[in-house]
Amino acid sequence: MGDLSNSIIDLRSDTVTRPSAGMRKAMAEAEVGDDVYGDDPTVAALEERVADMMGKEAALFVASGTQSNLIALLSHCGRGDEYIGGAGYHISNYEQGGAAVLGGISPRHVVPSDNGSLAPEAIAAEIQDDDPHFAVSKLLCVENTFHGRVVPQDALEASAHVARENGLAVHIDGARLMNAVVKSGGNAKSMTAFADTVSLCLSKGLGAPVGSVLSGPKDFISRAKRNRKLVGGGLRQSGILAACGLYALENNVKRLATDHENAQTLCWRLANVDGISIDLDQVHTNMVWMNIEADGKRPLSDHMAERGIVLSNPYGPKGVVRLVTHLDFSAAHVDRVVDGFSSWLKG
Ligand SMILES: *Cc1c(COP(=O)(O)O)cnc(C)c1O
């Protein structure tokens, strides 16, 4: 590992981690076959494991979280159908509108409540009547965690309930679902029971280099498999990659608690720095959102880069910084990060 306190500290996202020696070994030793022919035993093992974790009939290994959500939308909806998601959700904002571009599926957005959930009455207001003027409402998408927050289970279930009453299916973008599971001490199966389908990223906090898994009913996963091929996601000896996912589920789930502790330490220390404000109640898992007084100062990223700290703030409003902890961030890094912000604010 080397001296952690001297290495680059990358706080842009939990996607920046490098596969560990153990994960690379699992990759090297993976038994493989051509997965488009259904021959890869390691992919099959990963799919079975995730289906079981989520309490769903079947699952499908896909290239990315974006591909997983796209395939879910293509498999739940057809041209002229509509899905309802949250304003600011990944599926709404950060996937190039893929469902509309590639599937003829239009989005409708509900502004999430403070707890990250979509209020049932707001969902109900967006569900279309059967009328030739309107697109057909087919699907509700929820996201957990949302901005690093664990969305309350009863609120998620209330959202799903109103969707179901109106004949809509329910999909969870659970890119960081395991962070929610570990934080709440629950289990994935009961936390996703309200939904038809779930997308889980292996390449975020779980530390795999590639991959997501989409799970759901058997007939849905059959359609999803066709749609995966349609979007160019049929892979061959992908057991090499699935082996990383299996390794991640075996070794990197419980340790997410360490990422959450490191985020807490960071936010408590940073909240004490003059010029930084953090809503501590909103820091649940591995993301710290903070407001900083940026007026008249040199670019924060330059100041931090000189100290070997990499930050990103490509999306948020000016003065909002997001820090994400992960496998390659250690408690030994905290001082350097706090010093970096303090010296910038004083400078
Ligand atoms: C990262 C992320 C995705 C997309 O995953 P990629 O693998 O980056 O395509 C989808 N949803 C959420 C909530 C995410 O955080």
Side-chain angles (χ1 to χ4, degrees), residues 64-67 69 90 95 143 145 173 175-176 201 203-204 212:
S64 68
T66 301
Q67 192 180 66
N69 282 335
H90 201 281
E95 300 180 9
E143 186 175 310
T145 60
D173 179 354
R176 297 188 176 85
C201 280
S203 58
K204 302 275 168 89
S212 283

Side-chain angles (χ1 to χ4, degrees), residues 70-83:
L70 174 63
I71 291 171
L73 285 161
L74 292 172
S75 307
H76 278 297
C77 307
R79 286 183 77 76
D81 290 342
E82 233 175 36
Y83 77 93

Side-chain angles (χ1 to χ4, degrees), residues 129-245:
D129 292 333
D130 181 5
D131 179 304
H133 292 92
F134 300 147
V136 181
S137 305
K138 274 288 173 65
L139 178 71
L140 172 70
C141 296
V142 298
E143 186 175 310
N144 195 20
T145 60
F146 174 58
H147 289 179
R149 273 132 58 190
V150 181
V151 183
Q153 192 64 24
D154 54 351
L156 288 167
E157 287 168 7
S159 303
H161 181 72
V162 69
R164 273 194 205 299
E165 270 186 328
N166 289 281
L168 276 68
V170 180
H171 173 68
I172 306 176
D173 179 354
R176 297 188 176 85
L177 180 78
M178 298 319 291
N179 293 82
V181 167
V182 167
K183 177 64 186 188
S184 62
N187 69 73
K189 192 182 283 194
S190 58
M191 287 173 70
T192 60
F194 67 84
D196 300 277
T197 59
V198 185
S199 172
L200 172 73
C201 280
L202 301 165
S203 58
K204 302 275 168 89
L206 298 180
V210 172
S212 283
V213 183
L214 177 62
S215 53
K218 256 197 188 120
D219 59 338
F220 170 88
I221 293 296
S222 306
R223 293 197 299 281
K225 201 169 218 168
R226 287 189 58 82
N227 285 321
R228 180 181 68 175
K229 194 80 176 82
L230 178 70
V231 299
L235 302 177
R236 302 299 177 171
Q237 287 71 30
S238 42
I240 288 210
L241 303 171
C244 298

Side-chain angles (χ1 to χ4, degrees), residues 25 43 85 114 121 163 170 176 190 200 240 281 290 303 317 331:
K25 183 164 182 285
V43 171
D114 280 348
E121 51 283 10
V170 180
R176 297 188 176 85
S190 58
L200 172 73
I240 288 210
D281 292 339
M290 47 195 243
H303 178 86

Side-chain angles (χ1 to χ4, degrees), residues 4-12 300-311 326 328-329 333 336-337 340:
L4 275 175
S5 58
N6 283 326
S7 55
I8 294 281
I9 303 172
D10 194 337
L11 291 163
R12 287 174 297 175
L300 173 64
S301 52
D302 294 354
H303 178 86
M304 295 303 248
E306 285 162 13
R307 288 154 181 78
I309 300 163
V310 189
L311 298 179
H326 49 72
D328 295 346
F329 180 89
H333 289 140
R336 184 141 56 102
V337 175

